[in-house]
Amino acid sequence: MKTVNVLSALLLAGVSSAQTPAGFSPVVTEKLEVTFGSKNVATGGQALTKADTARQPTIGISGPADKTYIYMLIDLDANTNFANPKAGQPATYLHTVLRDFKASGAASGAGITTLKTTANGPVGWFAPQPPAENPPHPHRYTNLLWEQPANWQIPSAANTMLQSQKLGFNVTNFITAAGLSNPIAANYFNVTG
Ligand SMILES: *[C@@H]1O[C@H](CO)[C@@H](O)[C@H](O)[C@H]1NC(C)=O
């Protein structure tokens, strides 16, 4: 009985704290604050519009942030056939990867440290633009944050993935190719075409 209770407690804790969509690997439990203008993504899967998400969000993490960070935005519900989604297969699509984020000032009263970068790459901001689909279906735009290794020069295999393998982008393979550890914070929002 005791084992069962411990297991269910662990399962509940895991379910309630995942900030990545169900089925996504790696699972991330720390929340990435993602705010578009005045709209904060309060809970994973919150619905936003294309207009809401047109401009690059402000991001932040809880507590102090004394490292350098990499941000990624990836659509988990794209399609191998943009022109005719019905004829294609579901696929991921890499939108954005920005490097060199650092703390911008001290944590707010709520304990959130805003992160800023002046970099516009290695893959500049590309807003969610899901095509109209019949039936319409929400695309889960997943936001991931990594600690950026000191003096990080992006390995060429990882850069090739970023520049030319956006459709079907595999985050696990990217982590290995880029020499990163697992992401430290995540969040996702939905946009429907
Ligand atoms: C990513 O590639 C690995 C093999 O390196 C594979 O096991 C995994 O299923 C792939 N992930 C996705 C989401 O396709």
Side-chain angles (χ1 to χ4, degrees), residues 38 43 65 70 102 126 145 181:
S38 61
T43 44
I70 301 166
K102 287 199 174 279
F126 179 62
L145 190 78
S181 299

Side-chain angles (χ1 to χ4, degrees), residues 81-124:
N81 188 332
F82 282 114
N84 183 9
K86 261 191 211 161
Q89 294 296 316
T92 57
Y93 188 81
L94 177 75
H95 275 245
T96 300
V97 178
L98 302 173
R99 59 177 295 160
D100 300 338
F101 276 92
K102 287 199 174 279
S104 160
S108 69
I112 305 298
T113 304
T114 298
L115 304 176
K116 292 218 163 131
T117 185
T118 54
N120 58 8
V123 183

Side-chain angles (χ1 to χ4, degrees), residues 11-118:
L11 280 173
L12 282 175
V15 167
S16 60
S17 63
Q19 303 295 335
T20 33
F24 181 82
S25 178
V27 173
V28 180
T29 55
E30 185 77 22
K31 184 183 184 192
L32 179 66
E33 294 297 331
V34 176
T35 307
F36 290 96
S38 61
K39 294 201 178 173
N40 174 254
V41 182
T43 44
Q46 186 170 322
L48 294 173
T49 65
K50 290 186 215 184
D52 290 336
T53 57
R55 295 189 57 197
Q56 191 178 315
T58 301
I59 61 170
I61 54 175
S62 178
D66 55 0
K67 305 275 196 325
T68 307
Y69 304 92
I70 301 166
Y71 165 80
M72 174 183 287
L73 178 69
I74 182 167
D75 179 3
L76 303 186
D77 299 288
N79 195 286
T80 54
N81 188 332
F82 282 114
N84 183 9
K86 261 191 211 161
Q89 294 296 316
T92 57
Y93 188 81
L94 177 75
H95 275 245
T96 300
V97 178
L98 302 173
R99 59 177 295 160
D100 300 338
F101 276 92
K102 287 199 174 279
S104 160
S108 69
I112 305 298
T113 304
T114 298
L115 304 176
K116 292 218 163 131
T117 185
T118 54

Side-chain angles (χ1 to χ4, degrees), residues 164-178:
S164 58
Q165 295 167 17
K166 293 182 167 71
L167 188 62
F169 193 84
N170 184 312
V171 173
T172 304
N173 291 350
F174 172 73
I175 289 172
T176 305

Side-chain angles (χ1 to χ4, degrees), residues 107-188:
S108 69
I112 305 298
T113 304
T114 298
L115 304 176
K116 292 218 163 131
T117 185
T118 54
N120 58 8
V123 183
W125 174 248
F126 179 62
Q129 297 173 9
E133 287 159 315
N134 189 10
H137 79 89
H139 289 224
R140 294 162 299 163
Y141 288 91
T142 299
N143 303 252
L144 299 165
L145 190 78
W146 282 269
E147 276 185 25
Q148 180 175 312
N151 306 315
W152 188 62
Q153 306 260 15
I154 185 161
S156 66
N159 199 41
T160 299
M161 291 181 71
L162 293 181
Q163 306 306 335
S164 58
Q165 295 167 17
K166 293 182 167 71
L167 188 62
F169 193 84
N170 184 312
V171 173
T172 304
N173 291 350
F174 172 73
I175 289 172
T176 305
L180 303 178
S181 299
N182 278 342
I184 59 159
N187 199 345
Y188 68 103

